[in-house]
Amino acid sequence: QVQLVESGGGLVQPGGSLRLSCIASGFTLDADAVGWFRQVPRKDREAVSCIDGRDATTWYLESVKGRFTISRDNAKNTVYLQMNNLKPEDTGEYYCASARDFDTALQGAVRPWAMDKWGLGTQVTVSS
C-alpha cells in the first residue's frame, strides 16, 4: 500500500521536545521533496518545514527557526522533524506530504492538491 504515515506526536510541556517521523511505504521517498504542515481548528493549514529530495535544501516557518530541524534518512525511507523548545502555539495536527519538487512542497499549504501524497497526521499538544 502506497502511503505516508506520521508518528511521534503527543502531549508535552512547554520547553519540551518531540521528534516526528514520516515513513513512506510502497514507494521510495528519496527523490521527493517532503513538507511538514500543521493544522489548528478554525485556522488555515500552514507549512512548517520542507526538505528537498535532490540536495536536501531546507526551509522553515519563521516562528520555528532555531527550534525545529527537518532531516531525512533515505535508507529508512523516512523524514523527521525534530522539535525542541516547544511552545503552546506549536499545538496542532501535524501532517507530512510528498511532492515531486521543492517549490511544490513549499506551496503545499495553499495548494494541497498539488502534493503527491499526504499522511493522516499526528497530534502535537504543548500544554502545562
Side-chain angles (χ1 to χ4, degrees), residues 41 43 53 65 78 89 101 106 111 113:
K43 291 187 177 181
K65 284 182 179 178
T78 302
E89 52 264 41
D101 60 79
L106 291 175
R111 301 178 71 243
W113 58 87

Side-chain angles (χ1 to χ4, degrees), residues 13-86:
Q13 292 185 342
S17 298
L18 288 172
R19 188 177 79 159
L20 305 184
S21 298
C22 173
I23 303 172
S25 61
F27 71 105
T28 301
L29 195 59
D30 57 356
D32 290 351
V34 175
W36 283 99
F37 305 84
R38 66 186 178 198
Q39 179 84 59
V40 178
R42 296 177 295 280
K43 291 187 177 181
D44 292 335
R45 185 175 297 187
E46 64 180 350
V48 175
S49 183
C50 297
I51 186 166
D52 194 8
R54 296 169 299 173
D55 58 10
T57 298
T58 58
W59 172 89
Y60 295 95
L61 182 68
E62 188 64 33
S63 63
V64 308
K65 284 182 179 178
R67 300 189 296 121
F68 290 13
T69 303
I70 191 170
S71 63
R72 62 195 307 153
D73 185 338
N74 289 336
K76 295 183 178 180
N77 223 16
T78 302
V79 172
Y80 302 100
L81 185 67
Q82 177 67 44
M83 306 186 296
N84 298 328
N85 190 22
L86 283 160

